[in-house]
Amino acid sequence: MTTPVLVLTGFLGAGKTTLINTMLAQANGRRIAAVVNDFGSINIDEELIQASADSVVGLSNGCICCTMQGDLLRTLKLLLAHDPAPDQIVVEASGVADPSGIIQALGDPVLWKAARLDAVICVVDAQDVTATPARRADALWRAQLDAASFIVLSKTADLSPQEAGALSASLSPHGKPPVIDIDRERLPDDLFFGSGLPLSRFSATETVTPLRSDRFETTEWQTDDPISLNGLQRVIADFAAVLVRAKGILRFQGKPQTSYLLQMVGQRVTLEPATGQHDAGSRLVLISEAGRLDRAAVLARLEALTAQPDTREGAAPLAGKHASA
């Protein structure tokens, strides 16, 4: 019996990690292994999923749609050699990955004997696509959507049911692939775990040349010391215009025993206590369009955060529409 492989794709900050944790929480006793690709050497998503899956393997410092296909194949073969083997493997692609490259890799004739591509889920950020109409013309965004066998619409809480319905219809005019509004309906895990969809669904993408990930670049920073939240707020505000995405697990002065999860997509920033166990210190990943971020300047500002005392006790919220602390 072959092991089904589910590929999870979606643009930067769409909500893939949240979705995968929801799926793992509904696994109902299935042995689920997760392969997590983060674009950079610090894999925040792997850390966020670690407690939920039976096995989690992080692939960092590259994009599995192109430069890391060999690493993906080796990882899948190692997972399949486990005794007992996983009932399902979920591959979470980086937000800069064109899933056609992953689909090509999963067509490896040796791997095919033990694992098969079951479905591709594309997560679409409703807030992003509504606020940024030009997103629909983005070649990478289109490639992710076109590869989907299911579309999961995230972050629809601010839309009326009519607006959410209209957006779903625009993403899938003929009802195929199906669109699932994760904020309004239960995740239909029976479709995603062993759905049995015909593999011919993906045949049209097997010869597509994947879009390269060099459109984006990653700046990473980490420290063992607690940092100034007020100082971080100023750094994020000053560089927000050129950042596509930011995420991190952070510890702040005044609350050094508590880890916080930072997520930034466009101008939206959230900061909340991180669930699960996390290593001490802070880890931050910034993603920008190539050449737009002054990396030396932002790293210098981040390094100074350990020496800057907060101006008042406690954690002040970061600036952003959905910020919280």
Side-chain angles (χ1 to χ4, degrees):
M1 180 176 178
T2 58
T3 299
V5 179
L6 179 69
V7 175
L8 189 61
T9 187
F11 204 68
L12 294 159
K16 297 184 295 299
T17 302
T18 299
L19 176 62
I20 199 172
N21 276 324
T22 300
M23 295 171 63
L24 292 170
Q26 297 178 199
N28 297 323
R30 299 181 186 90
R31 294 185 302 276
I32 309 297
V35 179
V36 183
N37 178 214
D38 222 350
F39 188 64
S41 61
I42 301 175
N43 197 329
I44 297 295
D45 289 347
E46 176 191 1
E47 190 168 340
L48 296 177
I49 295 171
Q50 190 73 51
S52 302
D54 289 83
S55 299
V56 178
V57 180
L59 298 178
S60 301
N61 211 23
C63 177
I64 56 176
C65 72
C66 41
T67 58
M68 296 179 63
Q69 284 189 7
D71 288 343
L72 174 62
L73 291 176
R74 285 187 290 273
T75 297
L76 292 176
K77 290 171 183 177
L78 287 172
L79 288 173
L80 292 167
H82 286 187
D83 187 14
D87 298 317
Q88 180 98 18
I89 298 174
V90 180
V91 177
E92 182 193 349
S94 161
V96 301
D98 178 348
S100 64
I102 302 171
I103 294 167
Q104 291 174 27
L106 292 173
D108 178 83
V110 175
L111 182 67
W112 192 255
K113 298 175 183 177
R116 60 179 172 83
L117 177 63
D118 189 66
V120 177
I121 299 175
C122 179
V123 184
V124 175
D125 181 340
Q127 294 176 350
D128 174 64
V129 76
T130 300
T132 314
R135 183 72 66 220
R136 294 173 182 264
D138 185 284
L140 175 59
W141 187 89
R142 291 298 324 175
Q144 294 169 344
L145 191 71
D146 291 345
S149 46
F150 300 99
I151 299 171
V152 169
L153 194 58
S154 69
K155 308 177 189 177
T156 63
D158 292 338
L159 302 181
S160 68
Q162 293 76 18
E163 290 171 330
L167 178 56
S168 295
S170 71
L171 294 172
S172 182
H174 304 293
K176 292 183 180 180
V179 181
I180 298 138
D181 185 342
I182 195 64
D183 286 347
R184 287 180 163 84
E185 55 189 309
R186 176 179 168 81
L187 189 69
D189 52 292
D190 55 330
L191 291 179
F192 298 150
F193 293 115
S195 65
L197 292 176
L199 296 177
S200 59
R201 164 85 176 103
F202 306 102
S203 60
T205 64
E206 291 175 357
T207 59
V208 174
T209 301
L211 296 169
R212 302 294 298 187
S213 61
D214 54 5
R215 168 185 164 188
F216 301 94
E217 64 182 11
T218 298
T219 301
E220 299 161 344
W221 176 77
Q222 55 187 335
T223 180
D224 294 332
D225 299 320
I227 65 175
S228 164
L229 177 53
N230 293 327
L232 178 65
Q233 178 178 359
R234 290 188 289 272
V235 172
I236 294 295
D238 289 347
F239 290 93
V242 297
L243 292 177
V244 177
R245 182 83 165 91
K247 53 188 170 181
I249 296 175
L250 308 163
R251 295 203 183 192
F252 298 108
Q253 299 163 5
K255 295 185 178 181
Q257 303 306 315
T258 303
S259 292
Y260 285 86
L261 171 63
L262 170 73
Q263 298 270 18
M264 174 185 175
V265 185
Q267 298 301 308
R268 301 191 313 275
V269 185
T270 60
L271 182 69
E272 58 190 3
T275 59
Q277 298 296 316
H278 300 278
D279 294 337
S282 296
R283 298 163 294 288
L284 182 64
V285 177
L286 306 175
I287 301 176
S288 61
E289 298 256 1
R292 294 200 64 197
L293 179 66
D294 186 336
R295 302 175 74 176
V298 74
L299 288 172
R301 291 279 300 276
L302 291 171
E303 286 294 334
L305 294 180
T306 60
Q308 296 174 359
D310 277 329
T311 57
R312 60 185 182 273
E313 185 178 354
L318 285 168
K321 184 177 179 181
H322 298 281
S324 62

